[in-house]
Amino acid sequence: MAAYGAAGRWTWLVAGAVLVVSACSGDLVVARSAHVGLVAAAGRSSRLCSLGGSALIDGDGPADVRGAGRDVQDTYTEFLDPAVPLRRKEELLQDAPDLDIALRGFTREGLATPARVAVTRIHFISDTSAVVTYDVCARGLPAQPQTEGMAQLQAGSWKVAAATFCSLLQQGRPHAAATGCD
């Protein structure tokens, strides 16, 4: 390592630390992507994502706020799961027919970084609308912590709001054509 100088030793030290953190958190990563990805994510938040945990549910809304909150949480979690097929995502997105091209691209390509979502709070503002606070998680760490979106009740089911989908699409792939997200 002497040939690398101080900067080279620092790079190897950071890469080694990232691999140790990665191993401890249960994530297997390729060394070249671990250096950039986890250090960037770790710089944003020191806490791990709580995937599958219970969200705080509050506000004035449907008669069964708790049940509706669980439905909203399930909708967000399932919609942003990369393994969920297009047909199911169409059922989970508000006004999906109007966003067909964007949704197909999103389902095929996903976000710029493979991610999951951890819903932390659902605040009902009416019988048909809720503000959803969630972390977009990459490699077990919040890559976009405390992001806010909306859920809308449409045709008797809670859906990810079209505006939230468009915002996520534009954040994840800023140069992607977002047909329907005008």
Side-chain angles (χ1 to χ4, degrees), residues 113-172:
T113 302
R116 300 267 193 221
V117 66
V119 177
T120 57
R121 182 177 182 202
I122 299 153
H123 177 75
F124 286 96
I125 55 176
S126 74
D127 289 349
T128 60
S129 297
V131 176
V132 181
T133 306
Y134 58 97
D135 296 334
V136 177
C137 305
R139 297 184 179 107
L141 296 171
Q144 293 179 334
Q146 300 301 293
T147 303
E148 282 195 354
M150 294 294 295
Q152 298 293 326
L153 186 64
Q154 185 178 49
S157 297
W158 286 98
K159 316 251 181 177
V160 172
T164 300
F165 168 69
C166 291
S167 176
L168 274 172
L169 185 65
Q170 291 165 352
Q171 289 173 14

Side-chain angles (χ1 to χ4, degrees), residues 7-69:
R9 283 191 298 275
W10 175 248
T11 300
W12 281 105
L13 176 64
V14 170
V18 168
L19 289 173
V20 168
V21 168
S22 172
C24 291
S25 69
D27 291 330
L28 293 175
V29 293
V30 178
R32 68 180 172 82
S33 65
H35 176 85
V36 176
L38 280 178
V39 170
R44 293 186 184 141
S45 177
S46 61
R47 65 181 173 79
L48 294 176
C49 282
S50 176
L51 299 173
S54 295
L56 170 67
I57 301 168
D58 64 2
D60 296 322
D64 181 8
V65 171
R66 294 271 179 236

Side-chain angles (χ1 to χ4, degrees), residues 64-151:
D64 181 8
V65 171
R66 294 271 179 236
R70 284 190 300 276
D71 290 346
V72 169
Q73 183 172 1
D74 291 347
T75 295
Y76 261 74
T77 303
E78 189 174 2
F79 182 78
L80 289 168
D81 183 338
V84 172
L86 174 64
R87 290 203 186 268
R88 180 63 182 142
K89 287 184 188 288
E90 289 171 337
E91 297 170 2
L92 300 169
L93 178 61
Q94 177 191 28
D95 300 330
D98 297 337
L99 299 165
D100 183 61
I101 293 171
L103 183 57
R104 285 179 188 278
F106 177 76
T107 302
R108 184 180 59 251
E109 299 172 17
L111 297 172
T113 302
R116 300 267 193 221
V117 66
V119 177
T120 57
R121 182 177 182 202
I122 299 153
H123 177 75
F124 286 96
I125 55 176
S126 74
D127 289 349
T128 60
S129 297
V131 176
V132 181
T133 306
Y134 58 97
D135 296 334
V136 177
C137 305
R139 297 184 179 107
L141 296 171
Q144 293 179 334
Q146 300 301 293
T147 303
E148 282 195 354
M150 294 294 295

